[in-house]
Amino acid sequence: IGMGASLPPARPVEHAQYDFGGGFPDPASFPYDGIVEATARMMKAEGAQALTYGTPQGYLGLRELVCHKYELFEGLKVKPENIVVSNGSGHALSLAFSAFLDVGDVMITEAPTFSGTLHTIRRHGPEIVDVPVDGDGLVTSVLREKLAALRKQGRRCKLIYTIPNFQNPAGPTLTLKRRQEVVALAQEFDTVILEDDAYGELRFEGEPQPSLFSLDTSGRVVRAGTISKILGAGMRLGWLLAPSALVPVLQSFLFGGGVAPFTSRVSTWYMRDNMAEHVKVLVNVYRDKRDAMLRGLWEILKGTDVEISKPEGGFFIWIKLPAGTDTKRLQTLAGEARVQYTAGPAFFPNGGGERHIRLAFSYESPEKCYEGARLLARAIVNAKA
Amino acid sequence: IGMGASLPPARPVEHAQYDFGGGFPDPASFPYDGIVEATARMMKAEGAQALTYGTPQGYLGLRELVCHKYELFEGLKVKPENIVVSNGSGHALSLAFSAFLDVGDVMITEAPTFSGTLHTIRRHGPEIVDVPVDGDGLVTSVLREKLAALRKQGRRCKLIYTIPNFQNPAGPTLTLKRRQEVVALAQEFDTVILEDDAYGELRFEGEPQPSLFSLDTSGRVVRAGTISKILGAGMRLGWLLAPSALVPVLQSFLFGGGVAPFTSRVSTWYMRDNMAEHVKVLVNVYRDKRDAMLRGLWEILKGTDVEISKPEGGFFIWIKLPAGTDTKRLQTLAGEARVQYTAGPAFFPNGGGERHIRLAFSYESPEKCYEGARLLARAIVNAKA
């Protein structure tokens, strides 16, 4: 096989006709020229550092930019020494699981929760106890019950994994009252919270809530972030924001040569001039797509007992299918319409979710979100058992 | 702290006056303009793919390029489906340790061996049995004894980690006969070999030997490679070459979003036009540096009982200090001369190496390699207890 034989021609990523599957960012919004230009400028100023080994904690310029981001969007003041850079937020989360979990330990996730994280968690071998989500987010009364039940058995929950903003996949944003309760419960039951916040800036409406990290005063919250949703997932840059005492242990699972010196610098050089403005553009882009998808769904499904989330931000819509939907049939019909979605069971750690599906409105154009939603909605109607 | 407040001015990486510590590539040889240009070309053709999620196994174009590299430099024909891309070879090695080792398992390394890998191994919690290295590389007779002793105890060695080319730090290249023996022993004792080959192309003299991977017929060898030494470590791109049956398990520890879509493409677009030529340049660059360092060392140390390796390639010289050297005093004197080296004990899994030091000739200019070597050699002479 020759060198570069498969280099593809200029074309977008291959997807289904209507790809509502993964949380792929909108390719039309990628700042192609800006990144090329930032690469050239950065290489002049910092080329030697960009092309050699970095520090395990990550490029200081990027860590400063992350601090600036937190201050800009939520008034949270944190320091670069509390940021650990990673190869995307999936890797960031895995650092926390590696640090806190041994095989057989108990941890808690939401049900449903992000399927990608469930994969990472399973490789770490803990027992997962799940807590449901309602319109206000993680149900804290059930969280208390589960923590208390574990204590009764002489076991300790090592970690609570939660997605407080535009929960993936279910959509709700955790209320302030519940945020305070989760933090208090972590303290009462001596456990750590892993707060996954990949979408926080992409809020279309409603009031932002303080992060669990900012509400905590006992050094128990580790927060994961990413530039995948506001610049480009192909950079594979994420981070953990952690209390000082936890930084060394999280860093101890960063193997080899410092994280991403080149892409850290390319991204930083682009974002320090463009982040706020670019995020504003994205909020409008994704709000339009969400609205188009919801319009398409409701035009066909109104009058049924379907339940459809309306998230205040992020990439996903969560659907509870009408009673009596034959989900196998739905899969066939949606396939025929070339609409890709993700079936609910992928998001449940211990079973369930058969009546649910998740749609990502992030990737396709508003027009295709609308059309594809209508096609899928018709498939749902026709999949009535 | 403001955004990008610490962006440094144009200057090289900060190091000691004579930095012979880590295996940093030569910053003067980085193809700065070529990479900027490759970024621009790639972005036009593949920007959408470069900025979104990739496949877990890694960018096909890069995997094809790696196959081409193996064929070009050693006539080895392998397929892209046997390559798993990683964030540098440190990450590649950690994938293998995660896949093959559980806490308490037994594995074998050379003594000395690469200190960075020892760190990664220790986080995985195995018991390390070590086997010495002589002028022909890993001592296979001792390897046999250790494997047999483990079998007698009813234990199995899960993995043998070896660096056959320009062994880091000791320098020897494993002979063909011993390569065959290592592969046969892995088969006889039912274990896996992890072959670390970060420097293979950077051979200044002598005949290349076939890789353990190419000698194996039983699907027991996983081989790690990297572009850190032939393009730039800041790209953080490495890979595992593995038998088909092992690819899925190695991949199962790749968390989140596909490895490095952006840097994989930038690097591929540069290297497919420039790799062979660039490696030729590098071979001359590093040979000159090695020779300058050896000249400086021997000018001062001849007549002592020092032992100094002369590796046929790679980045490192290994020194057995003259009898009676006070290594604490040496550390002070070398510090005063602003010469950075790595003390021997870092390379021994179970103690030892007090009389050894490792020098990297890769980073500094030939002039500084020569001067710094003389300064260090004088410090060695003066550190006589």
Side-chain angles (χ1 to χ4, degrees):
Chain A
I1 287 158
M3 179 159 50
S6 79
L7 287 181
R11 57 172 171 70
V13 185
E14 266 178 47
H15 284 270
Q17 190 69 22
Y18 301 93
D19 194 337
F20 306 150
F24 298 101
D26 175 43
S29 304
F30 292 143
Y32 300 97
D33 295 340
I35 286 174
V36 170
E37 189 260 350
T39 304
R41 279 192 297 132
M42 177 282 287
M43 204 66 121
K44 265 208 179 101
E46 291 197 85
Q49 291 97 332
L51 292 177
T52 196
Y53 296 103
T55 50
Q57 201 171 344
Y59 174 48
L60 180 57
L62 176 59
R63 289 186 283 127
E64 287 171 343
L65 189 88
V66 170
C67 295
H68 172 74
K69 183 188 87 71
Y70 282 129
E71 184 155 8
L72 181 69
F73 289 105
E74 46 190 286
L76 173 63
K77 284 180 205 274
V78 294
K79 292 183 177 161
E81 56 261 39
N82 293 101
I83 308 283
V84 178
V85 177
S86 63
N87 300 297
S89 73
H91 178 227
L93 298 172
S94 83
L95 291 176
F97 298 133
S98 296
F100 296 122
L101 298 177
D102 288 313
V103 173
D105 281 347
V106 187
M107 68 168 289
I108 287 177
T109 76
E110 291 155 347
T113 189
F114 176 45
S115 50
T117 308
L118 280 179
H119 166 73
T120 307
I121 290 172
R122 287 190 174 118
R123 296 305 307 177
H124 286 81
E127 179 186 331
I128 306 174
V129 170
D130 59 75
V131 174
V133 168
D134 66 16
D136 289 341
L138 179 67
V139 181
T140 41
S141 57
V142 179
L143 177 61
R144 168 175 285 285
E145 283 165 24
K146 302 265 176 151
L147 287 167
L150 285 168
R151 177 174 278 178
K152 234 181 171 172
Q153 295 164 31
R155 306 181 76 186
R156 188 164 72 88
C157 167
K158 297 295 262 320
L159 190 76
I160 300 168
Y161 170 70
T162 177
I163 308 168
N165 293 323
F166 332 126
Q167 205 264 1
N168 179 0
T173 292
L174 195 63
T175 60
L176 176 57
K177 180 161 172 285
R178 288 211 183 156
R179 285 172 192 244
Q180 289 161 336
E181 285 167 358
V182 173
V183 169
L185 285 168
Q187 198 162 351
E188 182 180 342
F189 289 91
D190 190 18
T191 186
V192 171
I193 296 170
L194 180 56
E195 175 179 27
D196 185 359
D197 183 34
Y199 299 92
E201 300 82 43
L202 298 177
R203 172 175 283 281
F204 316 144
E205 62 211 17
E207 276 310 297
Q209 297 301 327
S211 62
L212 300 175
F213 183 91
S214 72
L215 293 172
D216 173 51
T217 54
S218 62
R220 302 178 171 279
V221 180
V222 177
R223 184 175 176 191
T226 178
I227 66 156
S228 290
K229 313 303 178 178
I230 59 171
L231 177 62
M235 294 294 184
R236 304 313 306 127
L237 284 174
W239 61 85
L240 292 171
L241 166 62
S244 300
L246 297 180
V247 167
V249 63
L250 294 167
Q251 238 180 267
S252 72
F253 287 88
L254 279 168
F255 302 124
V259 170
F262 179 74
T263 48
S264 290
R265 282 172 178 77
V266 169
S267 302
T268 300
W269 281 70
Y270 176 78
M271 290 210 299
R272 75 196 163 109
D273 297 328
N274 300 285
M275 183 169 61
E277 202 179 335
H278 188 58
V279 168
K280 259 186 214 161
V281 170
L282 294 179
V283 165
N284 287 318
V285 164
Y286 291 120
R287 187 199 290 109
D288 284 354
K289 293 183 179 205
R290 179 200 64 174
D291 292 345
M293 184 172 278
L294 287 173
R295 201 167 59 245
L297 289 169
W298 282 120
E299 281 180 9
I300 310 292
L301 291 170
K302 68 167 174 258
T304 72
D305 64 338
V306 73
E307 294 173 26
I308 302 175
S309 73
K310 188 186 177 186
E312 293 179 329
F315 281 10
F316 305 109
I317 287 171
W318 184 238
I319 297 179
K320 187 175 186 186
L321 298 165
T325 304
D326 178 342
T327 52
K328 287 233 161 173
R329 183 123 189 269
L330 174 58
Q331 205 179 344
T332 307
L333 293 173
E336 284 167 12
R338 304 195 59 193
V339 177
Q340 178 71 53
Y341 61 84
T342 309
F347 303 98
F348 286 79
N350 301 313
E354 289 76 9
R355 205 175 143 184
H356 285 88
I357 63 172
R358 189 193 74 174
L359 305 182
F361 51 79
S362 51
Y363 178 73
E364 302 288 6
S365 66
E367 294 69 29
K368 289 187 79 178
C369 282
Y370 173 72
E371 286 165 25
R374 286 176 57 97
L375 289 170
L376 179 68
R378 265 191 232 291
I380 290 171
V381 169
N382 292 332
K384 194 96 182 170
Chain B
I1 287 162
M3 179 160 47
S6 78
L7 287 182
R11 57 173 169 71
V13 185
E14 267 179 47
H15 284 271
Q17 189 69 22
Y18 301 94
D19 194 337
F20 305 150
F24 299 100
D26 175 44
S29 304
F30 292 144
Y32 300 98
D33 294 342
I35 286 174
V36 169
E37 190 260 350
T39 303
R41 279 193 298 133
M42 177 282 287
M43 204 67 122
K44 263 206 181 105
E46 291 197 86
Q49 291 95 334
L51 293 178
T52 195
Y53 296 102
T55 51
Q57 200 171 344
Y59 174 49
L60 180 58
L62 175 60
R63 289 186 282 126
E64 286 171 344
L65 189 89
V66 170
C67 295
H68 172 75
K69 184 188 88 71
Y70 282 129
E71 184 155 10
L72 180 69
F73 290 105
E74 46 189 286
L76 174 64
K77 285 180 205 273
V78 294
K79 291 183 177 159
E81 54 260 41
N82 293 101
I83 308 283
V84 178
V85 177
S86 63
N87 300 298
S89 72
H91 178 227
L93 299 171
S94 83
L95 292 176
F97 297 132
S98 296
F100 296 121
L101 298 177
D102 289 314
V103 174
D105 281 346
V106 187
M107 67 168 289
I108 287 178
T109 75
E110 291 154 348
T113 189
F114 176 45
S115 49
T117 309
L118 280 179
H119 165 73
T120 306
I121 290 172
R122 287 190 174 117
R123 295 306 307 178
H124 286 81
E127 178 186 332
I128 306 175
V129 170
D130 59 75
V131 174
V133 168
D134 67 15
D136 289 342
L138 179 67
V139 181
T140 42
S141 58
V142 180
L143 177 61
R144 169 175 284 284
E145 283 166 25
K146 301 265 175 149
L147 287 167
L150 285 168
R151 179 174 278 178
K152 233 180 171 172
Q153 296 164 29
R155 305 180 77 187
R156 188 164 72 88
C157 167
K158 296 296 261 321
L159 190 75
I160 301 169
Y161 170 70
T162 177
I163 308 168
N165 293 323
F166 333 126
Q167 203 264 0
N168 179 1
T173 293
L174 195 65
T175 61
L176 176 58
K177 182 162 170 285
R178 289 213 183 154
R179 284 172 194 246
Q180 290 161 337
E181 286 167 358
V182 174
V183 170
L185 284 168
Q187 200 163 350
E188 183 180 341
F189 289 91
D190 190 18
T191 185
V192 172
I193 296 170
L194 180 56
E195 176 178 26
D196 185 359
D197 183 33
Y199 300 93
E201 301 83 43
L202 298 177
R203 172 174 284 281
F204 317 145
E205 62 213 17
E207 277 309 297
Q209 297 301 326
S211 63
L212 301 174
F213 183 90
S214 72
L215 293 170
D216 173 52
T217 55
S218 62
R220 299 178 175 281
V221 180
V222 176
R223 185 175 177 191
T226 177
I227 66 157
S228 291
K229 314 301 179 177
I230 60 172
L231 178 62
M235 294 295 185
R236 305 312 306 126
L237 285 174
W239 60 85
L240 292 171
L241 166 63
S244 301
L246 297 180
V247 166
V249 62
L250 293 167
Q251 237 180 268
S252 72
F253 287 88
L254 280 169
F255 301 124
V259 170
F262 179 73
T263 49
S264 291
R265 283 172 177 77
V266 170
S267 302
T268 300
W269 281 70
Y270 175 78
M271 291 209 298
R272 75 197 163 109
D273 297 328
N274 300 284
M275 183 170 58
E277 203 180 335
H278 188 59
V279 167
K280 261 187 212 160
V281 170
L282 293 179
V283 165
N284 288 319
V285 163
Y286 290 120
R287 189 199 290 109
D288 285 354
K289 294 185 180 206
R290 179 201 64 174
D291 292 345
M293 184 172 277
L294 287 173
R295 200 165 61 246
L297 290 169
W298 281 119
E299 281 180 8
I300 309 291
L301 291 170
K302 70 168 174 254
T304 71
D305 65 338
V306 74
E307 293 173 26
I308 302 175
S309 72
K310 188 186 177 187
E312 293 179 330
F315 281 10
F316 304 110
I317 287 171
W318 183 238
I319 297 179
K320 187 175 184 186
L321 298 165
T325 303
D326 177 341
T327 51
K328 286 235 161 170
R329 183 123 187 269
L330 173 58
Q331 205 178 344
T332 307
L333 293 172
E336 285 167 12
R338 301 195 61 193
V339 178
Q340 178 72 51
Y341 62 84
T342 310
F347 304 98
F348 286 79
N350 301 313
E354 289 77 9
R355 205 176 142 185
H356 286 88
I357 63 173
R358 190 193 73 173
L359 305 183
F361 51 80
S362 52
Y363 177 73
E364 301 288 5
S365 67
E367 295 70 32
K368 289 188 81 177
C369 283
Y370 173 71
E371 286 165 24
R374 285 177 57 96
L375 289 170
L376 179 67
R378 266 192 228 292
I380 291 172
V381 169
N382 291 332
K384 193 95 182 170

